[in-house]
Amino acid sequence: MNTTEQYKQNKHPLDVLDDVYEYAEDGLTFEEIEERAGDGEWERLKWAGMYAQKQEGYFMIRTKVPGGKLTPEQAEVIGEVTDDLAVAPEEYGGEEQNELWGDAYLDITTRQDIQKHWIRVEDVPEMWDRYDEVGLTTVQGCGDSARNVLGCPAAGLDDHECFNAQPVIDAVSDFFTGNREYANLPRKFKLTITGCAHDCGQSQINDIGLVPAKKEIDGEHLYGFHARVGGGLSDGPRMGSELDAFIRPEDAVEFCRAVAQTFKEIGDRNNRGVCRMRYLVEQLGPEKFEEAIRDRCTVDLPDGGENLTVGYKGDHVGVHDQKQDGLQYVGFNVIAGRMGGDEFAEAARAAEKYGTEDASVRLATDQNFLITHIPEENVEDLLAEPFAEDYQPDPGPFSRGAVGCTGNEFCNYAIIETKKRTKRWARELDERINTPDDLDVVRMHMSGCSASCAQPQIADIGFRGETVKLEDEDSPNEEGDNLVEGMDFGLGGSLGTDNEFLDWIEHAVPADSVIPALERLFDAYAEEKHDDEQFYAWCRRVDNERLRSIMQQADAPVAGGVAHGD
């Protein structure tokens, strides 16, 4: 077993929840926590939803939101807890810690979670108490167990769904959360469940993706799910494989349990680099993996029926009609997912003020959020609220599609800064580039390292961070310091019926050269595109060498940089 597995064998990871209360009561420092529990405690704390920040003494804590659905009361508590507890100390800049957001902000993630920074261990019990009152949890927000279950953020609202899968999402989430039998898997276990025909939950890149299907059984036409298994990104990206099975909604919990059981029994616990479930599916093959699931499943799984997925949307920005007469939902654009806790609380209060009793706040996988069940006559007043000023539902295409990971501001693995850069670049690109009228969104995803937290492989434009060494003549300052932040530059990714991972077109591009390179690319795209051809499709049609040559026509050193250490 690898070292992480040994840590989990020494003490069940869920036992760390009791430890947190003890550390908080005793006011322990990081050094004292490690002295008392050993360095394996940093791994086990992930089961409490806690990651140690690079700034010693502070945690990032992750709140799970199944299907992204929050009541206004829950959203208000998240915002208020952020404003009260996610506060940077003076030694790290206090309210001036970040020039764009100050402090006391939260991040909406690509897995419909909420992340907060600057949390002290002594404040976690208060957070949990306030969460318990409204039915929120951070348990298994991280760690080698079932993570937050994804879904369509417009579940129950849009005509394009075949059925509302939110009750199934809640049931599967409830089964795995706190379940000691399935809380120690070989690696993180990511699930998505949707009744939406547009696959908003990204089934192709999850360990389990349940998507809508229908089948005639005993003369009755039934709605249920087809399953995709073994998808994922990071190193060794893989699109999920579809199984030949029809899963009734009432059997979804048991099916997911059987998959987890299969992964638990025969997944790799030795080499941590290849112990994700996608490697097991690839090793066995989808047919043998399906056999292993059927052997462990206690319900009947008929052969597959009719697949009802028609494409990939993944975007709910804008004002949209609900299928309920006279109601609309509004998708607000949050570039890179970051906003103030006070703003999020204000959005929750606005949902209550302008919405019906069914109003909700929904988190989307593109790091944006929705407010639902708004009578049409109230939408204009909702959009005039102060919180909405920076998050309007009619952004430019780059702002609309911008996704950014945590970056080196807090993450120990990230090489470059991402959040501020993503927001600034998106706004600047919307001003500098005149995109074709039929291009509503450009998905530009920036990861600070190769871990794919921002999902760059499925974007029109994907970045992963590098430290770039320039030639001396390209040195950016008088001191001759030729090490700069940069990134690998990829083009042409998408999910859906024409899904492909992007190609990494150029490596070690200095950050300052990216926008000039994109200007050249979009000039060529506007001139050469076919009718209705999206940017990612044009990138695939054009030879990679030519894409490189177009980028290199920019008045900036696009090529020639070397990843530091190469």
Side-chain angles (χ1 to χ4, degrees), residues 59-81:
F59 289 95
M60 180 277 284
I61 193 160
R62 182 178 293 155
T63 305
K64 286 167 53 174
V65 185
K69 185 177 180 180
L70 294 164
T71 66
E73 183 183 25
Q74 289 174 324
E76 186 173 10
V77 167
I78 288 173
E80 290 175 345
V81 166

Side-chain angles (χ1 to χ4, degrees), residues 38 172 185 213 275 310 333 385 436 469 482 538 550:
V172 171
L185 298 175
C275 57
V310 297
N333 180 230
E385 284 287 310
K469 183 177 182 180
N482 60 355
W538 175 79
I550 293 171

Side-chain angles (χ1 to χ4, degrees), residues 188-202:
K188 65 183 78 172
F189 186 55
K190 296 184 175 181
L191 305 93
T192 180
I193 301 170
T194 184
C196 168
H198 292 164
D199 196 17
C200 305
Q202 303 178 328

Side-chain angles (χ1 to χ4, degrees), residues 19-295:
D19 295 342
V20 172
Y21 286 104
E22 182 180 314
Y23 301 150
E25 184 177 352
D26 294 346
L28 298 190
T29 65
F30 273 27
E31 186 176 300
E32 290 167 335
I33 290 173
E34 188 166 321
E35 184 177 339
R36 182 177 296 189
D39 56 3
E41 196 77 340
W42 305 117
E43 190 67 33
R44 291 185 291 264
L45 279 165
K46 295 176 183 177
W47 275 254
M50 300 166 66
Y51 275 100
Q53 278 182 200
K54 64 194 298 182
Q55 298 86 356
E56 186 167 323
Y58 297 92
F59 289 95
M60 180 277 284
I61 193 160
R62 182 178 293 155
T63 305
K64 286 167 53 174
V65 185
K69 185 177 180 180
L70 294 164
T71 66
E73 183 183 25
Q74 289 174 324
E76 186 173 10
V77 167
I78 288 173
E80 290 175 345
V81 166
T82 303
D83 207 34
D84 293 341
L85 303 180
V87 181
E90 289 301 322
E91 64 185 288
Y92 288 106
E95 293 183 359
E96 305 300 321
Q97 178 263 320
N98 184 302
E99 65 267 30
L100 292 187
W101 292 281
D103 68 352
Y105 47 73
L106 56 81
D107 294 332
I108 303 170
T109 79
T110 56
R111 292 203 62 79
Q112 297 175 302
D113 296 303
I114 293 285
Q115 293 184 174
K116 295 183 287 292
H117 298 281
W118 299 113
I119 303 296
R120 303 177 304 168
V121 69
E122 53 263 45
D123 292 330
V124 174
E126 178 187 341
M127 176 186 299
W128 285 349
D129 288 344
R130 293 165 70 172
Y131 273 12
D132 285 344
E133 292 177 2
V134 294
L136 292 168
T137 187
T138 69
V139 174
Q140 291 163 254
C142 322
D144 297 342
S145 60
R147 299 292 187 88
N148 192 46
V149 183
L150 301 186
C152 175
L157 308 179
D158 266 340
D159 285 330
H160 65 241
E161 72 177 357
C162 306
F163 57 91
N164 183 358
Q166 185 65 41
V168 181
I169 291 170
D170 292 336
V172 171
S173 181
D174 289 346
F175 174 80
F176 282 109
T177 302
N179 188 329
R180 294 177 70 89
E181 186 172 355
Y182 294 102
N184 179 5
L185 298 175
R187 201 68 163 83
K188 65 183 78 172
F189 186 55
K190 296 184 175 181
L191 305 93
T192 180
I193 301 170
T194 184
C196 168
H198 292 164
D199 196 17
C200 305
Q202 303 178 328
S203 67
Q204 295 169 324
I205 56 169
N206 277 265
D207 294 300
I208 300 178
L210 298 186
V211 294
K214 65 180 179 180
K215 184 177 176 66
E216 183 178 350
I217 299 178
D218 298 329
E220 184 179 4
H221 291 276
L222 301 177
Y223 281 105
F225 301 102
H226 282 170
R228 294 166 177 165
V229 297
L233 298 177
S234 195
D235 296 327
R238 184 182 190 277
M239 294 289 182
S241 301
E242 189 159 320
L243 304 183
D244 186 19
F246 179 80
I247 301 139
R248 300 172 177 87
E250 61 269 26
D251 295 334
V253 171
E254 171 57 18
F255 174 81
C256 293
R257 183 211 62 80
V259 177
Q261 183 69 33
T262 303
F263 186 33
K264 176 182 176 181
E265 288 181 20
I266 60 178
D268 189 342
R269 293 182 184 264
N270 178 29
N271 184 347
R272 190 131 178 106
V274 294
C275 57
R276 288 291 302 272
M277 199 182 88
R278 64 178 180 271
Y279 293 104
L280 180 61
V281 176
E282 185 70 21
Q283 179 185 9
L284 294 179
E287 295 80 11
K288 287 190 178 297
F289 191 78
E290 181 181 327
E291 289 177 17
I293 295 168
R294 289 180 179 276
D295 288 344

Side-chain angles (χ1 to χ4, degrees), residues 322-525:
Q322 293 184 195
K323 58 186 176 183
Q324 297 84 4
D325 286 344
L327 297 182
Q328 295 182 317
Y329 71 84
V330 181
F332 291 91
N333 180 230
V334 187
I335 301 175
R338 178 165 289 181
M339 62 187 298
D342 57 342
E343 293 175 311
F344 198 68
E346 288 173 10
R349 290 189 281 269
E352 284 189 313
K353 179 179 180 181
Y354 297 109
T356 69
E357 62 181 10
D358 295 319
S360 62
V361 177
R362 314 277 186 100
L363 311 179
T365 57
D366 57 3
Q367 298 183 317
N368 297 311
F369 75 94
L370 287 58
I371 294 180
T372 76
H373 294 85
I374 306 297
E376 292 179 24
E377 62 270 19
N378 291 349
V379 169
E380 188 174 337
D381 289 336
L382 172 64
L383 294 177
E385 284 287 310
F387 84 87
E389 182 178 353
D390 200 39
Y391 309 109
Q392 287 293 307
D394 56 350
F398 288 96
S399 295
R400 183 169 181 164
V403 170
C405 75
T406 298
N408 67 5
E409 184 179 12
F410 297 113
C411 178
N412 287 304
Y413 301 106
I415 300 170
I416 65 170
E417 192 282 322
T418 55
K419 289 290 188 184
K420 291 180 286 188
R421 179 174 279 125
T422 299
K423 184 167 186 175
R424 286 168 170 156
W425 280 12
R427 294 276 171 84
E428 184 174 353
L429 287 164
D430 280 332
E431 291 179 1
R432 290 175 60 166
I433 294 179
N434 185 22
T435 54
D437 292 340
D438 59 352
L439 188 66
D440 295 329
V441 59
V442 178
R443 293 190 170 92
M444 181 179 70
H445 293 202
M446 187 181 301
S447 272
C449 69
S450 63
S452 299
C453 296
Q455 304 175 334
Q457 292 98 325
I458 61 167
D460 295 84
I461 305 161
F463 303 114
R464 58 188 181 194
E466 294 272 17
T467 301
V468 179
K469 183 177 182 180
L470 297 174
E471 298 296 334
D472 288 342
E473 60 266 24
D474 294 323
S475 177
N477 55 50
E478 294 180 359
E479 288 76 20
D481 183 3
N482 60 355
L483 291 181
V484 298
E485 287 194 345
M487 52 205 67
D488 297 334
F489 193 126
L491 296 168
S494 75
L495 295 179
T497 54
D498 57 350
N499 60 302
E500 284 185 23
F501 296 126
L502 55 65
D503 285 344
W504 294 107
I505 301 299
E506 190 69 83
H507 295 271
V509 178
D512 289 345
S513 301
V514 169
I515 289 180
L518 286 172
E519 287 182 300
R520 290 289 187 175
L521 285 166
F522 275 88
D523 284 345
Y525 164 65

